Amino acid sequence: MTAATWAEVPKGSPFPLQNLPYGVFTPAGDTRARVGVAIGAHVLDVAAVLGDDTFAHGALNPFLAQGRARWTAVRAELTALLTDARHRASVTPHLHPLDAVTLHLPFEVADYVDFYASEHHAANVGRMFRPGAEPLTPQWKHLPIGYHGRAGTVVASGTPVVRPCGQKKPGAAGELPGFGPSARLDIEAEVGFVVGTGSALGTPVGTDAFAEHVFGVCLVNDWSARDVQAWEYVPLGPFLAKSFATSVSPWIVPLEALEAARVTPPERAHALRPYLRETEDWGLDLRLEVRLNGQPVSRPPFSAMYWTGAQMLAHMTVNGASLRTGDLYASGTVSGPEPGERGCLMELTWGGEEPLKLADGTSRAFLEDGDEVTITATAPGADGTVIGFGEVTGKILPAVAGGRS
């Protein structure tokens, strides 16, 4: 059992001592961003309390690059500082109220890969796009499907999302494709994995090395323009429909904080190739919640995901592709088996045919300008605590005038 902290942690706080997620913040009245960990309703200045310039930067990357042994040692040192009352007087001046700081993108993104790891999501999409056919494509249960996204458009939670423009499917044969602002703008509630230590080009990373390379977990909203995607995605998959914005939560929860959340993934339908077999279970019991304009509309369970973070990492590198510090890969839309567990509006409204009714009397098939989406998540933590991930939020702004013609 973890020792009690002397720091003030409200009952039920998503940031108990057993969590200690990392982020990057700027204190009130200061201009220097630096690394902090969340504890209760405060953020602790790590550079100040450890006297280590590794943390005096506006990104986690220098710390991420130091590897698992260092990550474990720093977590132990911070835990000791926050549990031994002898440190209270020296540490307290470096605790900043969370509501008084500015949070930033927590790391510099090297590469971004998005997967398609939810069987329930993939099957629902298949039923909508290929009615009467098998919902899943033939390879789906043999490998985690993914695509390479745009690292440069991964943005911090709270960054407004400008409605994208693009080509759309022609109305009739022989017509030119349509063009203009997306009318079917959607969300994708996802879980992201942040790579700490890299790997050599040509050397695959096995599932058993997951915890040696992946530092922690965050929340992701991979915004999607469904009408643009429907026209462009054959044969190479998503491109402009996804690359305009991917929002990331400000807190990275270390893998060590998620030991109590580890679960066995769903039963495999087929024997897997050896590189995808896990020697230990890396399913995670994360419980997401999606709110549209403050109203909960979905609660997707990450424990239902067919492919785990370890399997995604193994597949991403099996061809010898290298990892870099700051690589981000995400799960794809998290959806469960029930209607209220679907992680995107395309599923929740069944392609727009069954609009959501909101408490203010309006309804939504897809996002309108001014809509704000917030995704949160919790997981079981050590000692009966609840591990929180903070939130990833974005508000939709109108398309720019130059994209309307």
Side-chain angles (χ1 to χ4, degrees):
M1 180 172 288
T2 305
T5 178
W6 53 258
E8 186 177 337
V9 178
K11 185 177 180 180
S13 168
F15 301 130
L17 181 68
Q18 292 82 352
N19 191 348
L20 299 183
Y22 289 82
V24 171
F25 76 105
T26 302
D30 203 336
T31 59
R32 298 170 298 161
R34 76 287 302 271
V35 173
V37 294
I39 177 73
H42 290 81
V43 56
L44 177 63
D45 186 334
V46 179
V49 296
L50 296 186
D52 188 339
D53 284 345
T54 300
F55 302 98
H57 297 275
L60 277 164
N61 297 58
F63 176 51
L64 299 181
Q66 292 180 341
R68 173 59 55 194
R70 177 65 173 152
W71 306 337
T72 300
V74 169
R75 180 175 175 82
E77 192 169 356
L78 292 173
T79 299
L81 289 173
L82 289 165
T83 53
D84 189 333
R86 291 175 298 178
H87 299 295
R88 184 169 189 166
S90 61
V91 172
T92 297
H94 304 295
L95 286 168
H96 300 267
L98 266 172
D99 59 7
V101 305
T102 301
L103 298 174
H104 307 284
L105 188 68
F107 61 102
E108 294 176 358
V109 182
D111 275 311
Y112 171 53
V113 172
D114 191 42
F115 282 94
Y116 192 45
S118 166
E119 178 181 0
H120 301 291
H121 171 66
N124 282 335
V125 171
R127 292 184 186 103
M128 280 185 271
F129 286 7
R130 299 181 299 277
E134 284 294 320
L136 298 178
T137 51
Q139 83 280 38
W140 198 92
K141 288 194 174 181
H142 294 279
L143 58 86
I145 296 173
Y147 80 96
H148 196 280
R150 287 283 292 274
T153 50
V154 176
V155 298
S157 173
T159 303
V161 176
V162 176
R163 183 177 297 274
C165 295
Q167 290 194 26
K168 306 173 188 180
K169 189 178 296 186
E175 290 185 2
L176 287 173
F179 183 86
S182 172
R184 295 168 69 88
L185 186 57
D186 201 354
I187 64 163
E188 292 193 353
E190 306 193 12
V191 171
F193 298 87
V194 180
V195 172
T197 52
S199 62
L201 183 66
T203 304
V205 175
T207 57
D208 58 349
F210 173 69
E212 293 302 312
H213 290 274
V214 171
F215 173 75
V217 177
C218 62
L219 300 179
V220 173
N221 187 346
D222 199 19
W223 308 86
S224 181
R226 301 296 185 188
D227 41 3
V228 176
Q229 185 176 354
W231 175 235
E232 74 176 4
Y233 85 104
V234 177
L236 295 181
F239 183 41
L240 299 182
K242 298 274 195 175
S243 62
F244 58 95
T246 300
S247 300
V248 174
S249 58
W251 298 110
I252 311 300
V253 175
L255 287 187
E256 291 95 329
L258 297 173
E259 281 296 317
R262 290 173 61 175
V263 293
T264 302
E267 185 177 353
R268 308 288 110 174
H270 306 283
L272 297 179
R273 289 292 179 182
Y275 79 93
L276 288 171
R277 297 173 193 164
E278 291 183 301
T279 56
E280 51 182 327
D281 291 331
W282 273 109
L284 292 172
D285 183 17
L286 276 58
R287 301 148 196 183
L288 282 66
E289 181 178 84
V290 180
R291 299 195 301 272
L292 175 55
N293 297 335
Q295 178 178 330
V297 295
S298 178
R299 292 185 171 90
F302 192 72
S303 59
M305 299 295 277
Y306 192 85
W307 298 106
T308 71
Q311 290 171 320
M312 293 179 227
L313 184 74
H315 188 66
M316 191 165 68
T317 62
V318 72
N319 66 345
S322 58
L323 298 173
R324 291 191 292 174
T325 296
D327 280 352
L328 170 68
Y329 65 96
S331 62
T333 301
V334 180
S335 290
E338 301 301 324
E341 297 176 338
R342 297 167 180 171
C344 65
L345 289 174
M346 183 169 65
E347 288 180 87
L348 285 166
T349 70
W350 208 252
E353 295 178 6
E354 303 169 8
L356 288 175
K357 291 181 173 56
L358 302 183
D360 63 3
T362 64
S363 61
R364 293 290 186 280
F366 293 94
L367 295 174
E368 297 182 2
D369 293 347
D371 283 347
E372 184 173 71
V373 177
T374 298
I375 302 168
T376 58
T378 59
D383 309 321
T385 58
V386 173
I387 301 298
F389 290 74
E391 63 181 39
V392 56
T393 296
K395 186 174 184 177
I396 305 303
L397 300 184
V400 297
R404 295 178 177 273
S405 59

Coordinates of all heavy atoms in Angstrom, one line a residue, residues 343-397:
G343 N -17.9 5.9 -29.7 CA -17.0 7.0 -29.5 C -16.9 8.0 -30.6 O -16.0 8.8 -30.6
C344 N -17.9 8.1 -31.5 CA -17.9 9.1 -32.5 C -19.4 9.4 -32.9 O -20.3 8.5 -32.7 CB -17.1 8.7 -33.7 SG -17.7 7.3 -34.6
L345 N -19.7 10.5 -33.4 CA -21.0 10.9 -33.8 C -21.5 10.0 -35.0 O -22.7 9.8 -35.1 CB -21.1 12.4 -34.2 CG -20.9 13.3 -33.0 CD1 -20.9 14.8 -33.5 CD2 -22.1 13.2 -32.0
M346 N -20.6 9.6 -35.9 CA -21.0 8.8 -37.0 C -21.7 7.5 -36.5 O -22.7 7.1 -37.0 CB -19.9 8.4 -37.9 CG -20.3 7.6 -39.1 SD -18.9 7.5 -40.3 CE -17.7 6.5 -39.4
E347 N -21.2 6.9 -35.4 CA -21.8 5.8 -34.8 C -23.1 6.2 -34.0 O -24.1 5.5 -34.1 CB -20.9 5.0 -34.0 CG -19.8 4.3 -34.7 CD -18.9 3.6 -33.7 OE1 -19.2 2.4 -33.3 OE2 -17.8 4.2 -33.3
L348 N -22.9 7.2 -33.1 CA -24.0 7.6 -32.2 C -25.2 8.0 -33.0 O -26.3 7.8 -32.5 CB -23.5 8.7 -31.3 CG -22.5 8.4 -30.2 CD1 -21.9 9.6 -29.6 CD2 -23.2 7.6 -29.1
T349 N -25.1 8.6 -34.2 CA -26.3 9.0 -35.0 C -26.5 8.1 -36.2 O -27.3 8.4 -37.0 CB -26.1 10.4 -35.4 OG1 -25.1 10.5 -36.5 CG2 -25.7 11.4 -34.3
W350 N -25.7 7.0 -36.2 CA -25.8 6.1 -37.3 C -25.8 6.8 -38.7 O -26.7 6.8 -39.5 CB -27.0 5.1 -37.2 CG -26.8 3.8 -37.9 CD1 -27.3 3.4 -39.1 CD2 -25.9 2.8 -37.4 NE1 -26.8 2.1 -39.4 CE2 -25.9 1.8 -38.4 CE3 -25.0 2.7 -36.3 CZ2 -25.1 0.6 -38.2 CZ3 -24.3 1.5 -36.2 CH2 -24.3 0.5 -37.1
G351 N -24.6 7.4 -38.9 CA -24.4 8.1 -40.2 C -25.3 9.4 -40.3 O -25.4 9.9 -41.5
G352 N -25.8 9.9 -39.2 CA -26.7 11.1 -39.3 C -28.1 10.8 -39.4 O -29.0 11.7 -39.4
E353 N -28.5 9.5 -39.5 CA -29.9 9.1 -39.7 C -30.7 9.2 -38.4 O -31.9 9.4 -38.4 CB -30.0 7.7 -40.2 CG -29.5 7.5 -41.6 CD -29.5 6.1 -42.1 OE1 -30.1 5.3 -41.4 OE2 -29.0 5.8 -43.2
E354 N -30.0 9.2 -37.2 CA -30.6 9.2 -35.9 C -30.0 10.3 -35.0 O -29.2 10.0 -34.1 CB -30.5 7.8 -35.2 CG -31.1 6.7 -36.1 CD -30.8 5.3 -35.5 OE1 -30.2 5.3 -34.4 OE2 -31.0 4.3 -36.2
P355 N -30.3 11.6 -35.3 CA -29.6 12.7 -34.6 C -29.8 12.6 -33.1 O -30.8 12.1 -32.6 CB -30.3 13.9 -35.1 CG -30.9 13.5 -36.5 CD -31.3 12.1 -36.3
L356 N -28.7 13.0 -32.4 CA -28.8 13.1 -30.9 C -29.7 14.3 -30.5 O -29.6 15.4 -31.0 CB -27.4 13.4 -30.4 CG -26.4 12.2 -30.4 CD1 -25.0 12.7 -29.9 CD2 -26.8 11.1 -29.6
K357 N -30.5 14.1 -29.5 CA -31.3 15.1 -28.9 C -30.6 15.7 -27.7 O -30.3 14.9 -26.8 CB -32.7 14.6 -28.6 CG -33.5 14.3 -29.8 CD -34.9 13.8 -29.4 CE -35.8 13.6 -30.7 NZ -35.2 12.7 -31.7
L358 N -30.3 17.0 -27.7 CA -29.6 17.6 -26.6 C -30.6 18.2 -25.6 O -31.7 18.5 -25.9 CB -28.6 18.6 -27.1 CG -27.5 18.1 -28.1 CD1 -26.6 19.2 -28.5 CD2 -26.8 16.9 -27.5
A359 N -30.1 18.5 -24.4 CA -30.9 19.0 -23.3 C -31.4 20.4 -23.7 O -32.5 20.8 -23.1 CB -30.1 19.1 -22.0
D360 N -30.8 21.2 -24.5 CA -31.2 22.5 -24.9 C -32.3 22.5 -25.9 O -32.7 23.6 -26.4 CB -30.0 23.4 -25.3 CG -29.4 22.9 -26.6 OD1 -29.8 21.9 -27.2 OD2 -28.4 23.5 -27.0
G361 N -32.8 21.3 -26.3 CA -33.8 21.2 -27.3 C -33.4 21.1 -28.7 O -34.2 20.9 -29.6
T362 N -32.1 21.2 -29.0 CA -31.5 21.1 -30.3 C -31.1 19.6 -30.5 O -31.1 18.8 -29.6 CB -30.3 22.0 -30.5 OG1 -29.2 21.6 -29.6 CG2 -30.7 23.5 -30.3
S363 N -30.7 19.3 -31.7 CA -30.3 18.0 -32.1 C -29.0 18.1 -32.9 O -28.8 19.1 -33.5 CB -31.3 17.1 -32.8 OG -31.7 17.7 -34.0
R364 N -28.2 17.0 -32.9 CA -27.0 17.0 -33.7 C -26.9 15.7 -34.5 O -27.0 14.6 -33.9 CB -25.8 17.1 -32.8 CG -25.6 18.4 -32.1 CD -25.2 19.6 -33.1 NE -25.0 20.8 -32.3 CZ -25.9 21.6 -31.8 NH1 -27.2 21.3 -32.0 NH2 -25.5 22.7 -31.1
A365 N -26.6 15.8 -35.8 CA -26.2 14.7 -36.6 C -24.6 14.7 -36.5 O -24.0 13.7 -36.3 CB -26.7 14.7 -38.0
F366 N -24.1 15.9 -36.8 CA -22.6 16.1 -36.7 C -22.4 17.5 -36.1 O -23.4 18.1 -35.7 CB -22.0 16.0 -38.1 CG -22.0 14.6 -38.7 CD1 -23.1 14.2 -39.5 CD2 -21.1 13.7 -38.4 CE1 -23.1 13.0 -40.0 CE2 -21.1 12.4 -38.9 CZ -22.2 12.0 -39.7
L367 N -21.2 17.9 -35.9 CA -20.8 19.1 -35.1 C -21.2 20.3 -35.9 O -21.0 20.5 -37.1 CB -19.4 19.1 -34.8 CG -18.9 17.9 -33.8 CD1 -17.4 18.0 -33.7 CD2 -19.6 18.0 -32.5
E368 N -21.7 21.3 -35.1 CA -22.0 22.6 -35.6 C -21.0 23.6 -35.1 O -20.3 23.4 -34.1 CB -23.4 23.1 -35.2 CG -24.5 22.2 -35.8 CD -25.9 22.7 -35.4 OE1 -26.0 23.7 -34.8 OE2 -26.9 22.0 -35.8
D369 N -20.8 24.8 -35.8 CA -19.9 25.8 -35.3 C -20.3 26.2 -33.9 O -21.5 26.4 -33.6 CB -19.9 27.0 -36.3 CG -19.3 26.7 -37.6 OD1 -18.7 25.6 -37.8 OD2 -19.5 27.5 -38.5
G370 N -19.3 26.4 -33.0 CA -19.6 26.8 -31.7 C -19.8 25.6 -30.7 O -19.7 25.8 -29.5
D371 N -19.9 24.4 -31.3 CA -20.0 23.2 -30.4 C -18.6 23.0 -29.7 O -17.6 23.2 -30.3 CB -20.4 22.0 -31.2 CG -21.8 21.9 -31.5 OD1 -22.6 22.7 -31.0 OD2 -22.2 21.1 -32.4
E372 N -18.7 22.5 -28.5 CA -17.5 22.1 -27.7 C -17.6 20.7 -27.3 O -18.6 20.3 -26.7 CB -17.3 23.1 -26.5 CG -16.0 22.8 -25.8 CD -15.8 23.9 -24.7 OE1 -16.6 23.8 -23.7 OE2 -14.9 24.7 -24.8
V373 N -16.5 20.0 -27.5 CA -16.5 18.5 -27.1 C -15.4 18.3 -26.1 O -14.3 18.9 -26.2 CB -16.2 17.7 -28.4 CG1 -16.1 16.2 -27.9 CG2 -17.3 17.8 -29.4
T374 N -15.7 17.6 -25.0 CA -14.8 17.3 -24.0 C -14.7 15.8 -23.7 O -15.8 15.2 -23.6 CB -15.1 18.0 -22.7 OG1 -15.0 19.4 -22.9 CG2 -14.1 17.6 -21.6
I375 N -13.6 15.2 -23.7 CA -13.4 13.8 -23.4 C -12.6 13.7 -22.1 O -11.5 14.3 -22.0 CB -12.7 13.1 -24.6 CG1 -13.4 13.2 -25.9 CG2 -12.5 11.6 -24.2 CD1 -12.6 12.8 -27.1
T376 N -13.1 12.9 -21.2 CA -12.4 12.6 -20.0 C -12.3 11.0 -19.8 O -12.9 10.3 -20.6 CB -13.1 13.1 -18.7 OG1 -14.5 12.6 -18.7 CG2 -13.2 14.6 -18.8
A377 N -11.5 10.6 -18.9 CA -11.4 9.2 -18.6 C -10.9 8.9 -17.2 O -10.2 9.8 -16.6 CB -10.4 8.5 -19.6
T378 N -11.3 7.8 -16.7 CA -10.7 7.3 -15.4 C -10.4 5.9 -15.5 O -10.8 5.2 -16.4 CB -11.8 7.5 -14.2 OG1 -13.0 6.7 -14.6 CG2 -12.2 8.9 -14.0
A379 N -9.6 5.4 -14.5 CA -9.1 4.0 -14.4 C -9.0 3.7 -13.0 O -8.7 4.5 -12.2 CB -7.8 3.8 -15.2
P380 N -9.1 2.4 -12.6 CA -8.9 2.0 -11.2 C -7.4 2.1 -10.9 O -6.5 1.8 -11.7 CB -9.3 0.5 -11.2 CG -9.3 0.1 -12.6 CD -9.6 1.3 -13.5
G381 N -7.1 2.7 -9.7 CA -5.7 2.8 -9.3 C -5.4 2.0 -8.1 O -6.2 1.3 -7.6
A382 N -4.1 2.0 -7.7 CA -3.7 1.3 -6.5 C -4.4 1.8 -5.3 O -4.8 2.9 -5.2 CB -2.1 1.5 -6.4
D383 N -4.5 0.9 -4.3 CA -5.1 1.2 -3.0 C -6.6 1.7 -3.1 O -7.0 2.5 -2.3 CB -4.3 2.3 -2.3 CG -2.8 2.0 -2.3 OD1 -2.5 0.8 -2.0 OD2 -2.0 2.9 -2.4
G384 N -7.3 1.3 -4.2 CA -8.7 1.6 -4.3 C -8.9 3.1 -4.8 O -10.0 3.6 -4.8
T385 N -7.9 3.7 -5.3 CA -8.0 5.1 -5.8 C -8.5 5.1 -7.3 O -8.7 4.0 -7.9 CB -6.6 5.8 -5.8 OG1 -5.7 5.1 -6.6 CG2 -6.1 5.9 -4.4
V386 N -8.8 6.3 -7.7 CA -9.3 6.5 -9.1 C -8.2 7.3 -9.8 O -7.8 8.4 -9.3 CB -10.6 7.2 -9.2 CG1 -11.0 7.5 -10.6 CG2 -11.7 6.3 -8.6
I387 N -7.7 6.8 -10.9 CA -6.8 7.5 -11.8 C -7.5 8.3 -12.8 O -8.2 7.8 -13.6 CB -5.8 6.5 -12.4 CG1 -5.1 5.7 -11.4 CG2 -4.8 7.2 -13.3 CD1 -4.2 6.4 -10.4
G388 N -7.2 9.6 -12.8 CA -7.8 10.5 -13.8 C -6.8 10.9 -14.9 O -5.6 10.9 -14.7
F389 N -7.3 11.3 -16.1 CA -6.5 11.6 -17.2 C -6.7 13.1 -17.6 O -6.2 13.5 -18.6 CB -6.8 10.8 -18.4 CG -6.4 9.3 -18.3 CD1 -7.1 8.5 -17.4 CD2 -5.3 8.8 -18.9 CE1 -6.7 7.2 -17.3 CE2 -4.9 7.5 -18.8 CZ -5.6 6.7 -17.9
G390 N -7.4 13.9 -16.7 CA -7.7 15.2 -17.1 C -8.7 15.2 -18.2 O -9.5 14.3 -18.3
E391 N -8.6 16.2 -19.1 CA -9.6 16.2 -20.2 C -8.9 16.7 -21.5 O -7.9 17.5 -21.4 CB -10.8 17.1 -19.9 CG -10.5 18.5 -19.6 CD -11.7 19.3 -19.2 OE1 -12.5 18.8 -18.5 OE2 -11.8 20.5 -19.7
V392 N -9.5 16.4 -22.6 CA -9.1 16.9 -23.9 C -10.4 17.6 -24.5 O -11.4 17.0 -24.6 CB -8.5 15.9 -24.8 CG1 -9.5 14.7 -25.1 CG2 -8.1 16.5 -26.2
T393 N -10.2 18.9 -24.7 CA -11.4 19.7 -25.1 C -11.1 20.5 -26.4 O -9.9 20.9 -26.6 CB -11.7 20.7 -24.0 OG1 -12.1 20.0 -22.8 CG2 -12.8 21.7 -24.4
G394 N -12.1 20.7 -27.2 CA -11.9 21.5 -28.4 C -13.3 22.1 -28.8 O -14.3 21.5 -28.7
K395 N -13.2 23.4 -29.3 CA -14.4 24.1 -29.7 C -14.3 24.4 -31.2 O -13.3 24.8 -31.7 CB -14.6 25.4 -29.0 CG -15.9 26.2 -29.2 CD -16.0 27.4 -28.3 CE -17.3 28.1 -28.6 NZ -17.5 29.2 -27.6
I396 N -15.4 24.2 -31.9 CA -15.4 24.3 -33.4 C -15.6 25.8 -33.8 O -16.6 26.4 -33.4 CB -16.5 23.4 -34.0 CG1 -16.4 22.0 -33.6 CG2 -16.5 23.6 -35.5 CD1 -15.1 21.3 -33.9
L397 N -14.7 26.2 -34.6 CA -14.8 27.6 -35.2 C -15.2 27.5 -36.7 O -14.9 26.4 -37.3 CB -13.5 28.3 -35.1 CG -12.9 28.6 -33.7 CD1 -11.6 29.4 -33.8 CD2 -13.9 29.2 -32.8

